[in-house]
């Protein structure tokens, strides 16, 4: 087995192997556990068992390459739709509550935190003479990283949570003795940031790793998490949000420092934007990372497709793993391709409309009912469904070809063609090209497995291989990459300028240079050339659009719309696509398919910005304050 695969996949599977022999797992983070003493001491007697426990502590890290299938990040944002009957529907249709929490994982992450604490407090006991001090130190700092990462995973959906530090909860205590209030948002942020900084300063945390250890956290991964968390903390959801002014801890003499305190910041702090800018700049200035470009960088299609095609490329800061593409591929390949295909994960019409034209201008500025409001300077055709013959671009190993298709898809920017597959086009799989129809009864819409929007995600399938013969390839999912840091920095600098926060010399100039570099990689003119008279507020909106396109389907949009607090406008209401219910057959796409229709109407209320704590935890922990509106 390839070592790169084994060390990363071990994080996901070792829990089952170790858990059954070393400890009895708990159902949630306040459950009592059985006595582990009988086997616990033996763990630290051998290098193999110690390493296995370390891998177990890391096994709670997410598998981002599966996230659209086992989390709501794509299917419950306005960028995408997941056709399968998943918990995502609870969020989209407003049917979730404290008794029905979709993809509930709070107990899972607290269990991971406990395992990290146990490991870090005992790893130095390892008495096996074949283990080295360097190995033990590396395992220890990796567990410290994972522990902080688990907190981050909860904070982004719950807001402030319980901070345990190095504490191991005494599961022999009474339930009442285990009551505890939540820490504040700023306390949680400061804790995660300080833990990541401690990891960065630990000599055992490397800048980079050999191929055999790819997937381990690096100093850059720690800094990237700091940058993302500080960005979220500066945005409206967590920065003086008045909705949360009533979310207060109960009064208790057991935790006087947390008694009766507001859990969320009560006043807006514009200086948090400067902290976010500095955190992103630390990675931008790191010579280890460069925007990925294929060859001489002249092909924007290869440049963008290569981000998820070229393993461990120069842009990747950290990935949750080198994974087989099967899960991502099988859910995004149309059913018209022979072999295993469940193609039902795709972009919405709103996401399709978001892409720029080849001249760099965004064609759709809003909507009048179902009709788009068109920027006449963009070159987008007002007769968007008129079919004309135009050249579909070459990328992913295929040659360009003439395509008779609606003007809607003509002359768009390269990232559009790499990311979005539309009906009436040919799906490229290895040396094969198969025409696909998403009309009802067409070869891409033969059963319940079809894209409700009439579009499929294009960029995570390896088009150089033929999935029909079982070839799927591998992917290094871009959990953190340099382009995100560019966009974090640009947004933060613009927000500082808007709010009169003094910027260090050169920050604004560098932000515009980075933006030009990012768009240049995608074959587009700089934003200041395309929109020379844009105000600071308009540039902020344009930066948000750039982020939506550049980071599409990488598990960002869900959190972006929420932390910007625009979800009521964009994640609720009608979600549009093409008319996939219009009858068709075979590979022909009938004219009736080309119509903007609402394939579902989603619900988003003020309380949906954050997850509710489960009713079970509320019943068991009388000091737990529920989130707003639940």
């Amino acid at each position: 087995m390839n070592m790169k695969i084994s060390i990363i996949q071990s994080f996901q599977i070792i829990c089952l192997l170790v858990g059954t022999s070393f400890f009895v797992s708990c159902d949630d983070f306040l459950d009592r556990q059985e006595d582990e003493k009988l086997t616990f001491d033996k763990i630290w007697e051998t290098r193999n068992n110690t390493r296995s426990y370390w891998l177990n502590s890391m096994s709670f890290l997410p598998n981002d390459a599966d996230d659209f299938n086992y989390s709501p990040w794509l299917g419950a944002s306005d960028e995408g739709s997941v056709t399968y009957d998943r918990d995502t529907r609870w969020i989209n249709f407003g049917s979730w509550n404290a008794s029905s929490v979709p993809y509930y994982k709070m107990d899972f992450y607290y269990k991971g935190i406990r395992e990290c604490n146990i490991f870090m407090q005992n790893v130095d006991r390892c008495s096996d003479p074949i283990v080295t001090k360097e190995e033990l130190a590396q395992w220890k700092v990796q567990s410290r990283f994972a522990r902080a990462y688990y907190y981050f995973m909860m904070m982004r959906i719950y807001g402030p949570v319980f901070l345990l530090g190095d504490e191991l909860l005494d599961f022999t205590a009474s339930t009442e003795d285990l009551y505890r209030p939540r820490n504040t948002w700023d306390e949680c942020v400061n804790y995660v940031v300080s833990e990541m900084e401690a990891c960065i300063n630990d000599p055992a945390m490397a800048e980079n790793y050999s191929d055999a250890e790819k997937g381990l956290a690096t100093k850059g991964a720690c800094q990237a998490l700091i940058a993302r968390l500080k960005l979220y903390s500066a945005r409206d959801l967590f920065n003086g949000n008045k909705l949360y002014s009533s979310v207060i801890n109960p009064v208790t003499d057991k935790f006087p420092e947390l008694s009766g305190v507001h859990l969320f910041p009560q006043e807006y702090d514009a200086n948090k934007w400067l902290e976010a800018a500095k955190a992103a700049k630390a990675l931008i200035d790191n010579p280890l990372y460069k925007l990925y470009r294929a060859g001489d960088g002249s092909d924007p299609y290869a440049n963008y497709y290569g981000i998820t095609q070229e393993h461990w490329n120069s842009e990747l800061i950290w990935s949750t793993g080198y994974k087989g593409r099967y899960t991502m591929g099988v859910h995004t390949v149309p059913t018209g391709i022979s072999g295993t295909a469940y193609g039902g994960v795709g972009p919405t019409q709103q996401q399709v409309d978001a892409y720029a034209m080849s001249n760099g201008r965004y064609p759709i500025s809003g909507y009048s009912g179902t009709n788009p409001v068109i920027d006449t300077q963009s070159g987008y055709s007002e007769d968007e469904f008129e079919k004309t013959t135009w050249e579909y671009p070459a990328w992913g190993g295929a040659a360009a070809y003439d395509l008779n298709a609606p003007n809607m898809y003509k002359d768009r920017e390269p990232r559009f063609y790499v990311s979005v597959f539309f009906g009436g086009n040919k799906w490229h799989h290895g040396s094969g090209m198969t025409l696909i129809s998403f009309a009802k009864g067409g070869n891409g819409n033969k059963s319940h497995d079809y894209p409700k929007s009439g579009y499929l995600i294009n960029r995570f399938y390896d088009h150089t291989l033929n999935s029909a013969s079982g070839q799927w390839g591998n992917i290094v999912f871009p959990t953190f990459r340099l382009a995100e840091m560019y966009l974090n920095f640009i947004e933060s600098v613009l927000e500082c300028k808007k709010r009169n926060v003094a910027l260090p010399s050169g920050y604004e100039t560098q932000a515009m240079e980075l933006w030009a570099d990012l768009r240049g990689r995608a074959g587009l003119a700089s934003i200041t050339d395309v929109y020379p008279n844009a105000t600071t507020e308009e540039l902020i909106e344009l930066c948000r659009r750039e982020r939506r396109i550049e980071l599409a389907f990488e598990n960002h949009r869900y959190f972006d719309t929420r932390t910007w607090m625009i979800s009521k406008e964009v994640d609720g209401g009608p979600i549009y696509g093409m008319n996939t219910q219009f009858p068709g057959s075979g590979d022909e796409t009938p004219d009736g398919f080309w119509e903007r229709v609402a394939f579902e109407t989603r619900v988003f209320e003020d309380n949906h910005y954050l997850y509710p704590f489960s009713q079970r935890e509320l019943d068991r922990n009388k000091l737990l304050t529920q989130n707003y509106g639940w």
Side-chain angles (χ1 to χ4, degrees):
M1 179 182 291
N2 186 305
M3 182 58 72
K4 288 187 291 186
I5 298 175
S6 63
I7 193 168
I8 297 163
Q9 289 182 332
S10 291
F11 294 165
Q12 307 297 329
I13 64 175
I14 199 69
C15 182
L16 295 175
L17 302 177
V18 177
T20 54
S21 58
F22 285 160
F23 56 87
V24 178
S25 63
C26 53
D27 287 334
D28 66 46
F29 68 94
L30 291 181
D31 272 348
R32 296 176 63 162
Q33 286 183 283
E34 299 295 332
D35 190 343
E36 300 168 348
K37 184 67 176 177
L38 292 176
T39 59
F40 188 75
D41 289 339
K42 294 185 180 297
I43 296 172
W44 318 106
E45 292 178 0
T46 69
R47 178 188 180 279
N48 185 57
N49 285 347
T50 302
R51 182 177 181 273
S52 292
Y53 206 105
W54 163 60
L55 290 173
N56 169 68
S57 76
M58 304 288 287
S59 68
F60 302 84
L61 290 170
N63 177 359
D64 285 327
D66 278 352
D67 252 1
F68 64 78
N69 208 25
Y70 302 109
S71 74
W73 315 148
L74 191 151
S77 78
D78 66 339
E79 75 174 352
S81 171
V82 176
T83 194
Y84 319 113
D85 187 12
R86 303 284 192 260
D87 291 2
T88 302
R89 296 187 179 198
W90 302 359
I91 297 177
N92 286 342
F93 302 135
S95 59
W96 54 320
N97 53 52
S99 298
S100 299
V101 182
Y103 306 103
Y104 179 70
K105 276 196 168 184
M106 192 169 197
D107 58 326
F108 177 81
Y109 286 121
Y110 272 107
K111 180 180 172 184
I113 289 166
R114 173 176 166 81
E115 297 309 316
C116 288
N117 279 342
I118 290 172
F119 179 78
M120 288 189 288
Q121 292 173 26
N122 291 277
V123 59
D124 292 326
R125 294 172 54 189
C126 184
S127 56
D128 193 330
I130 68 171
V131 75
T132 67
K133 291 183 179 180
E134 290 76 16
E135 283 180 311
L136 297 179
Q138 183 191 71
W139 299 345
K140 192 172 186 177
V141 76
Q142 290 292 320
S143 281
R144 189 171 189 176
F145 167 87
R147 180 178 66 175
Y149 200 84
Y150 301 153
Y151 278 113
F152 166 73
M153 294 294 288
M154 291 187 288
M155 290 166 60
R156 64 183 188 167
I157 59 173
Y158 288 103
V161 292
F162 311 93
L163 294 176
L164 300 179
D166 296 325
E167 178 186 0
L168 293 176
L169 291 180
D170 180 6
F171 290 104
T172 65
S174 66
T175 300
E176 185 173 351
D177 287 338
L178 294 176
Y179 289 174
R180 60 180 57 236
R182 297 162 68 182
N183 289 83
T184 69
W185 172 256
D186 283 340
E187 286 174 335
C188 290
V189 171
N190 292 339
Y191 175 77
V192 171
V193 169
S194 65
E195 285 295 290
M196 287 296 167
E197 288 175 341
C199 289
I200 290 171
N201 294 325
D202 191 320
M205 180 63 78
E207 290 275 7
N208 212 342
Y209 291 100
S210 66
D211 285 351
E213 296 178 306
K214 293 291 189 184
L216 294 179
T218 61
K219 293 180 186 292
C222 299
Q223 186 62 40
L225 185 65
I226 292 172
R228 190 182 294 179
L229 181 55
K230 287 194 172 184
L231 180 78
Y232 288 174
S233 194
R235 288 176 174 172
D236 287 352
L237 185 65
F238 297 121
N239 196 355
N241 178 8
K242 299 306 180 185
L243 277 180
Y244 297 161
S245 60
S246 63
V247 184
I248 301 172
N249 269 339
V251 175
T252 173
D253 56 3
K254 290 185 177 181
F255 297 89
E257 72 284 2
L258 294 174
S259 178
V261 302
H262 289 274
L263 290 174
F264 295 86
Q266 295 301 290
E267 302 297 331
Y268 191 91
D269 183 359
N271 286 311
K272 288 185 176 181
W273 285 110
L274 180 57
E275 293 303 308
K278 290 178 178 178
K281 193 173 189 301
L283 281 162
I284 292 166
D285 292 344
N286 188 328
L288 275 178
Y289 308 109
K290 295 179 176 63
L291 286 192
Y292 173 78
R293 285 177 166 85
D296 64 3
S298 61
D299 184 345
Y301 302 94
N303 289 344
Y304 191 64
Y305 185 50
I307 294 167
T308 55
Q309 188 75 2
E310 186 67 28
H311 301 155
W312 308 110
N313 63 71
S314 62
E315 184 165 339
L316 288 170
I317 298 170
W318 186 61
S319 170
T320 54
Y322 178 36
K323 312 284 185 184
R325 285 182 189 257
Y326 175 81
T327 299
M328 301 199 80
V330 76
H331 292 100
T332 56
V333 64
T335 55
I337 306 303
S338 60
T340 307
Y342 306 117
V345 180
T348 63
Q349 186 65 48
Q350 284 95 322
Q351 180 68 21
V352 169
D353 291 343
Y355 285 89
M357 303 299 287
S358 62
N359 63 12
R361 290 191 74 92
Y362 295 100
I364 310 298
S365 60
Y367 299 92
S368 176
T370 60
N371 297 317
V373 178
I374 298 170
D375 174 5
T376 56
Q377 296 182 61
S378 70
Y380 187 85
S381 174
E382 292 190 7
D383 192 355
E384 60 182 2
F385 294 126
E386 178 193 18
K387 286 186 180 181
T388 56
T389 299
W390 44 276
E391 185 177 78
Y392 187 81
W395 63 275
Y401 54 90
D402 286 342
L403 180 67
N404 185 252
N407 289 330
M408 177 188 289
Y409 313 123
K410 179 183 177 182
D411 202 26
R412 302 300 282 266
E413 63 157 294
R415 290 176 296 189
F416 169 79
Y417 299 109
V418 173
S419 301
V420 176
F421 179 79
F422 50 88
N425 195 5
K426 299 175 184 177
W427 185 269
H428 171 212
H429 49 107
S431 59
M433 303 283 282
T434 302
L435 187 64
I436 297 295
S437 169
F438 291 127
K440 186 69 173 177
N443 60 356
N445 185 355
K446 298 180 291 187
S447 67
H448 59 282
D449 291 327
Y450 73 98
K452 290 190 290 185
S453 64
Y455 300 100
L456 284 176
I457 295 175
N458 219 13
R459 63 181 300 220
F460 297 133
Y461 178 92
D462 188 342
H463 289 273
T464 67
L465 300 177
N466 185 10
S467 63
S469 59
Q471 300 175 56
W472 296 98
N474 298 304
I475 187 171
V476 181
F477 192 89
T479 302
F480 292 101
R481 62 182 175 99
L482 187 59
E484 180 200 343
M485 299 303 127
Y486 276 27
L487 291 161
N488 292 0
F489 182 73
I490 296 163
E491 179 183 348
S492 299
V493 166
L494 290 171
E495 289 282 0
C496 284
K497 187 178 179 183
K498 173 184 175 181
R499 301 172 192 283
N500 298 315
V501 177
L503 286 163
S505 176
Y507 267 45
E508 186 176 356
T509 298
Q510 185 178 16
M512 294 301 103
E513 290 173 348
L514 294 172
W515 200 346
D517 188 29
L518 187 63
R519 285 171 66 87
R521 192 255 299 267
L524 300 178
S526 72
I527 202 72
T528 50
D529 285 342
V530 177
Y531 295 93
N533 300 315
T535 65
T536 299
E537 289 196 2
E538 288 170 341
L539 286 172
I540 290 172
E541 177 57 32
L542 289 167
C543 179
R544 291 183 178 188
R545 290 191 177 208
E546 193 78 55
R547 186 180 182 92
R548 178 175 193 169
I549 297 313
E550 175 64 30
L551 303 179
F553 318 122
E554 295 179 26
N555 304 329
H556 289 278
R557 181 69 178 171
Y558 176 99
F559 301 103
D560 287 342
T561 63
R562 283 153 176 79
T563 52
W564 287 328
M565 293 195 74
I566 63 172
S567 290
K568 286 194 75 173
E569 292 75 42
V570 302
D571 292 324
I575 302 296
Y576 292 97
M578 292 293 98
N579 188 359
T580 57
Q581 298 309 302
F582 194 89
S585 63
D587 60 10
E588 294 297 320
T589 301
D591 289 342
F593 173 82
W594 307 113
E595 176 191 5
R596 290 173 178 263
V597 298
F599 63 85
E600 64 187 23
T601 300
R602 297 180 182 175
V603 175
F604 197 99
E605 305 294 349
D606 282 337
N607 58 316
H608 295 166
Y609 279 105
L610 290 176
Y611 261 50
F613 288 90
S614 73
Q615 188 61 48
R616 184 182 182 203
E617 296 308 331
L618 293 168
D619 293 341
R620 298 171 69 254
N621 181 4
K622 301 306 180 183
L623 295 182
L624 172 59
T625 298
Q626 179 62 288
N627 273 331
Y628 166 83
W630 294 103

